[in-house]
Amino acid sequence: MKKIAYTFSFIVLSFVFVMAYYCCYYYATNNMKSDGIKTIYETMDENPALNDDMADANAVKEEIVSSETRYILETYNMDTDTITKEELTVPVEFLGMDRQSMIDYLSDYNDSNVDDNTENIRLVSFSSAYIVIRKSIKNEDKTEYNYWITEENGIVMVYKADKEELYLDTGIETIDLEKEDKKKLQNGFYLENIQELYNYLETITS
C-alpha cells in the first residue's frame, strides 16, 4: 500500500514541476522581453522591404577574376589593321581583381611604357566567366614602301605607294602567269625599292 502511495505522490509532484516550468517559460517569453529589443523576424515583419533587400544582397555575386576565368588577349596591329585572338592562362596578378581594379592595372601599364611597340592596352569585356583585353601594337621600324603592284584589266600595273600615282604600265599580261601570281596581283602588294620591283618583273616574265 505504501508503494502505491509513493508512486502516486511521485506522479503528482512530477506534474506539478512540469506545470511550474511551463508557467515560468510562458511568463518569461510574454512579459520579460525588453521593450527596446526586437528580433530580426519582428523587424522584417514590420518592414517587408527588408526581405527584398536581403534577398538581393544574397543574390548579387561580386564579379572577380579567378583561376576559372577565361582570359582572351586580342592583338590589334595598327600597321595592318588586323586583329588576332588567343586564349591564355590567367596571369597570377589578375586573380582577385574586379572590373575597376583591372582598369586601374591596365592604366598603370600604359603609363609605364614598358613595351615600345605597344601603343595601348585596354579592357574590352569583364566578368567572372571571361575577360577580354585588347593590345594595340605598332611597328616603329616600319619599312618604307615605294611601290604598289596590282593588276588592271589583265595587265600588271605599278603605282607609287599612295596607290594613286601611276609609275609604270608594264604591258605584262596576267593571263599566262601562275595561279598564285595572279591571286597576289589581284589583291595587290607593296615593294620596297626599284631593285625589288625589277627583280619581281623579271621573275614573272622569265
Side-chain angles (χ1 to χ4, degrees):
M1 192 69 181
K2 286 184 178 181
K3 187 175 182 180
I4 295 175
Y6 288 147
T7 302
F8 179 75
S9 297
F10 176 77
I11 294 174
V12 171
L13 287 173
S14 298
F15 178 76
V16 170
F17 286 137
V18 169
M19 290 302 297
Y21 174 79
Y22 176 78
C23 290
C24 290
Y25 175 78
Y26 181 82
Y27 178 82
T29 56
N30 288 274
N31 298 288
M32 296 181 66
K33 184 178 70 174
S34 173
D35 293 336
I37 300 176
K38 294 183 180 180
T39 66
I40 182 62
Y41 304 105
E42 290 174 326
T43 303
M44 290 173 66
D45 287 340
E46 294 175 2
N47 300 275
L50 289 177
N51 290 307
D52 296 334
D53 292 341
M54 293 184 67
D56 292 340
N58 292 328
V60 173
K61 182 180 180 181
E62 185 180 9
E63 297 282 0
I64 61 173
V65 180
S66 71
S67 59
E68 302 298 321
T69 303
R70 295 177 59 193
Y71 169 41
I72 299 164
L73 176 64
E74 295 182 346
T75 302
Y76 172 57
N77 190 316
M78 300 174 68
D79 295 327
T80 60
D81 194 27
T82 57
I83 295 178
T84 58
K85 298 181 181 181
E86 54 182 334
E87 185 167 342
L88 304 173
T89 302
V90 177
V92 175
E93 56 267 29
F94 289 1
L95 298 178
M97 286 189 178
D98 58 16
R99 177 185 293 273
Q100 189 57 52
S101 298
M102 181 68 67
I103 292 173
D104 293 341
Y105 175 86
L106 296 179
S107 177
D108 291 341
Y109 180 91
N110 287 326
D111 292 340
S112 65
N113 293 318
V114 294
D115 187 347
D116 291 337
N117 289 335
T118 300
E119 290 295 306
N120 62 73
I121 185 167
R122 64 185 183 86
L123 184 65
V124 176
S125 181
F126 182 94
S127 72
S128 58
Y130 68 93
I131 56 174
V132 180
I133 292 176
R134 178 172 297 176
K135 180 180 180 181
S136 298
I137 62 172
K138 187 175 183 180
N139 186 1
E140 297 296 337
D141 299 324
K142 183 179 179 181
T143 302
E144 185 69 29
Y145 293 112
N146 292 303
Y147 304 101
W148 171 256
I149 319 301
T150 187
E151 173 268 335
E152 290 181 0
N153 300 319
I155 302 297
V156 178
M157 307 294 284
V158 182
Y159 284 84
K160 289 297 185 85
D162 60 6
K163 301 183 185 181
E164 297 291 335
E165 182 182 350
L166 180 63
Y167 175 75
L168 177 66
D169 180 348
T170 67
I172 301 172
E173 296 183 352
T174 60
I175 189 171
D176 295 325
L177 299 182
E178 297 291 335
K179 185 177 180 180
E180 290 183 1
D181 289 325
K182 290 180 181 179
K183 185 176 180 179
K184 187 176 181 180
L185 285 164
Q186 287 174 353
N187 294 329
F189 60 96
Y190 286 104
L191 288 177
E192 184 177 352
N193 53 50
I194 193 67
Q195 186 61 50
E196 286 188 356
L197 174 60
Y198 285 160
N199 289 343
Y200 173 74
L201 296 178
E202 184 179 355
T203 299
I204 64 174
T205 55
S206 60

